[in-house]
Amino acid sequence: MPIFNTYDGTALAYHLVGEGEPLICLPGGPMRAARYFGDLGGLSRVRQLVLLDLRGTGDSAVPQDPSTYRIDRLVEDVEALRAHLGLERADVLGHSASGELAALYAAKYPHRLRSLTLVTPGTGTLGLPATDQDRRDAAELRAHEPWYAGARAALDEIQAGRATPESWAGIRPFMYGRWDAAAQAHAAGSPAQRNAEAGSLYYPEGGLDAEATVAALRELQVPVLVLAGEYDGGPSPDRAAELAALFPRAEFVVQRGAAHFPWLDDSGAFVRAVTAFLDPEVSSVQAGGIRLAYRTWGDPSAPPVVLAHGRSGSSLDWAGVAEQLAARHRVYALDFRGHGLSDWPGRYSFEFFRDDLHAFLEARNLSGATVIGHSMGGAAALLLAERHPALIGALVIEDAPTLLPLDPPRPQAERPAGELDFDWRVVTSIDAQLNAPDPAGRERLGDITAPALVVGGSRSHVDQEQLAWMARQIPDGQFVSVDAGHLVHTDAPKAFLDALRAFGVG
C-alpha cells in the first residue's frame, strides 16, 4: 500500500488495482474509504486504478487540522497525488460527493487534467442541488419493488426532518439498481468505511464561490464524461444533464437500470461507457437513444466512408482496411449495439442494426457517405438503402446474407464459455431471422438507387450465386468474387481494396 505526504505533511494512502495508464479515483461518501470501489466492475482490466483514501479515511492519516476536511482544501491532496505519481496531466474519476471534489480540482488545475469522469456526481456545490422532488421522483420508479414501502417511509421521514440512523439505513435500497445480496453487503460496509466527523465538515457553510467555479468549468478544454444512473435521485439524470451542459466538451450517459453505484448494477455497461470515453481513439454518439462507439481515421474534410462490421465483430475489425482508405477518405467505423464498446440493450434484429446505422449517419451529418457493410452490417446497409435511397452515396456489400430462408435452418447455437466482447443474444436473435427473414428485405432491392458493389468470398459459406442474384436486383449493382472466405477484407485485403478502387472508392 503506497503512502505519500501531502502539502501539510499528512500521510495519505492509495491503492493500486490493475495495470495500464493510471486513473485517479476519488471516493464519495462523503469521506468514505476507497475500498468500496473494488475494481470498478472490471475497469481495472483496461486502466490502473489509483484509489485514494481521502485524509482521515481508510489507511490515510487523520490530519492535525480538521478544517482540512473541507472539499475545497481536499483539492490540494488531489494535486499532491498527481505530482507524487509523476503525471504531467492526470485522468481523474470522481464518484458521488467526490464528483464535486473532482470538479473543483478541474476548475483550479485545468492544465494538470487530461480527462474528467464524473460518476453519479454531487451537484450542490456547483449551484445545481438535488431536490426532495428529485429523490421522490426517483423513488417512484421503484414502486414495484418488494422493499419499496419501507424504503419510501424512511425517505419520507428524512424529508420531514425526522432523520434517524434507522431511516438512513432504510433508504439504502434506492441507491442500487438491484437490492440483491451483493448490494446489501456493499451497503452494510458503508458505516465502518465512512468518517462521519470528516463528512460533516466536507461541505463548508460558506467560503465556496460556486459562480467562479462554474465560470472556470465553462472554459475547461478537456473531455468530460458525466455518467448518471437511471434510478438515481441524487443526482437525477436531469440534474446530471444540467451539470454536463456546463462543460464545453462533455459527454452525457444515462446507464439504464442503474442507481448510485452503476459499476455494481451492470458492470459491463459501466466499463464499456467509461472505457470508450477514456480511449482517445474512440468516440461515442447518442443515436436513437443508444450510445454507439466509433473510431475514425483520415482527414475530417475528406469524403466520408462508413464501415459497418459483421455479427460478433466491432469497429476494430476494419483497422487495416480503414488505414488504407484513410489516404483519401475520412473513415468512420462504428460498433453496432450489442457489440464492442457500444450499449448492449438486449434486443437485436437486422432492423435495429439498420436503425443504428441510420441514426449514426444522421448524428454525424454523413448523408451521402459511402457505406461498406460486412455480413450482418451489409444486411443492415441494404435495408437502410432500400428505405432511404438518398441517404447513401455509394454502397459496398461484403458477403452479406441475401435474406432468403436458410435451407436447412440453422440449429440453435451454443454459447461459448468465458467472457465475450459482444452480447450473445445477438446470435440467437439473428439466427432466428436468418431462418425466417422478412421477404421485404429481398423484394425491395430494386428500390436502391445508390451505385452498389457486392463482394463475395469464393470460399465463404454464403452462396455466391445468391450474392450475384442480389447484385442483379439492384438497378446499379455489380458483383465481384474474391478468393477468400467470409471475412473477405481480412482474408484478402489487397484484393478487397482493389475491388473498391475499381468501383471508385479508395
Side-chain angles (χ1 to χ4, degrees):
M1 175 190 61
I3 294 176
F4 70 102
N5 291 324
T6 187
Y7 69 94
D8 64 350
T10 302
L12 302 183
Y14 60 95
H15 309 267
L16 299 177
V17 182
E19 298 180 353
E21 291 191 69
L23 174 64
I24 294 176
C25 300
L26 308 178
M31 305 305 287
R32 183 174 177 180
R35 70 174 67 98
Y36 80 90
F37 275 138
D39 66 353
L40 279 175
L43 188 61
S44 60
R45 292 194 293 270
V46 295
R47 297 297 293 263
Q48 183 180 63
L49 308 182
V50 182
L51 308 179
L52 176 64
D53 280 340
L54 300 175
R55 54 178 57 216
T57 72
D59 294 308
S60 288
V62 174
Q64 291 185 349
D65 181 1
S67 71
T68 59
Y69 288 135
R70 285 174 47 131
I71 182 175
D72 52 337
R73 298 190 66 178
L74 291 172
V75 165
E76 302 308 325
D77 289 344
V78 181
E79 173 59 7
L81 174 59
R82 180 208 61 79
H84 167 76
L85 295 172
L87 301 174
E88 182 67 23
R89 300 172 70 203
D91 296 312
V92 175
L93 179 151
H95 171 242
S96 190
S98 274
E100 294 162 288
L101 172 57
L104 291 180
Y105 178 79
K108 187 168 184 179
Y109 293 103
H111 58 293
R112 294 303 189 187
L113 195 65
R114 187 166 67 172
S115 72
L116 181 64
T117 302
L118 304 178
V119 179
T120 59
T123 54
T125 60
L126 304 177
L128 301 167
T131 67
D132 285 351
Q133 190 61 50
D134 289 343
R135 294 185 172 87
R136 287 194 294 268
D137 290 345
E140 286 295 332
L141 298 176
R142 319 298 297 280
H144 62 284
E145 300 279 6
W147 45 260
Y148 172 76
R152 180 55 191 265
L155 178 63
D156 291 343
E157 285 294 296
I158 292 170
Q159 293 192 343
R162 298 187 293 271
T164 64
E166 291 74 23
S167 59
W168 284 115
I171 65 169
R172 287 177 186 165
F174 288 130
M175 307 293 283
Y176 298 86
R178 296 185 310 276
W179 188 234
D180 56 13
Q184 292 172 39
H186 189 265
S190 177
Q193 295 166 0
R194 184 170 179 266
N195 183 332
E197 178 190 0
S200 69
L201 299 172
Y202 186 81
Y203 294 112
E205 293 184 3
L208 294 183
D209 189 342
E211 290 187 6
T213 300
V214 168
L217 296 179
R218 291 190 187 279
E219 302 297 323
L220 186 66
Q221 295 302 315
V222 302
V224 177
L225 172 65
V226 178
L227 190 151
E230 178 185 10
Y231 296 147
D232 199 5
S236 66
D238 287 346
R239 202 69 59 220
E242 292 178 341
L243 175 62
L246 299 180
F247 300 98
R249 297 179 58 191
E251 178 182 340
F252 176 57
V253 172
V254 177
Q255 185 172 317
R256 303 301 175 190
H260 202 60
F261 301 93
W263 64 91
L264 292 175
D265 297 327
D266 185 339
S267 60
F270 176 81
V271 170
R272 287 189 294 273
V274 177
T275 298
F277 169 72
L278 291 174
D279 189 334
E281 296 183 355
V282 177
S283 301
S284 293
V285 65
Q286 291 289 332
I290 300 293
R291 185 187 58 81
L292 298 177
Y294 66 98
R295 301 171 190 271
T296 56
W297 296 260
D299 185 343
S301 65
V305 170
V306 177
L307 306 177
H309 64 79
R311 188 174 75 177
S312 78
S314 75
S315 55
L316 289 171
D317 296 350
W318 293 105
V321 167
E323 290 172 359
Q324 295 297 314
L325 291 175
R328 294 188 177 183
H329 297 274
R330 176 63 164 180
V331 182
Y332 300 80
L334 76 154
D335 290 348
F336 280 113
R337 69 176 67 197
H339 295 79
L341 296 177
S342 290
D343 283 347
W344 295 13
R347 297 179 62 228
Y348 307 102
S349 68
F350 285 123
E351 291 76 17
F352 280 135
F353 297 127
R354 172 201 66 198
D355 294 345
D356 285 348
L357 184 56
H358 185 190
F360 179 77
L361 292 174
E362 290 198 333
R364 302 308 305 150
N365 195 27
L366 294 174
S367 178
T370 295
V371 175
I372 302 174
H374 170 244
S375 192
M376 179 194 80
L382 282 169
L383 295 178
L384 180 59
E386 293 172 356
R387 175 171 283 197
H388 298 283
L391 187 61
I392 295 175
L395 186 63
V396 179
I397 304 301
E398 178 193 347
D399 218 54
T402 54
L403 301 182
L404 291 163
L406 292 181
D407 185 20
R410 186 168 291 178
Q412 183 174 349
E414 183 176 345
R415 187 191 188 284
E419 190 171 339
L420 303 175
D421 57 5
F422 66 95
D423 190 341
W424 179 250
R425 286 172 288 190
V426 172
V427 172
T428 56
S429 299
I430 294 304
D431 276 355
Q433 277 198 287
L434 289 171
N435 286 337
D438 183 347
R442 58 184 181 272
E443 292 170 355
R444 294 187 59 186
L445 291 170
D447 294 342
I448 297 175
T449 59
L453 172 66
V454 179
V455 180
S458 62
R459 294 181 276 107
S460 169
H461 66 277
V462 176
D463 189 315
Q464 301 297 290
E465 288 300 322
Q466 290 185 4
L467 287 178
W469 171 86
M470 175 196 291
R472 292 194 297 270
Q473 307 314 302
I474 300 172
D476 193 6
Q478 55 183 289
F479 172 69
V480 62
S481 182
V482 172
D483 182 18
H486 182 53
L487 288 161
V488 181
H489 68 272
T490 299
D491 292 348
K494 183 179 184 302
F496 181 73
L497 288 166
D498 287 344
L500 294 185
R501 292 189 187 99
F503 180 62
V505 179

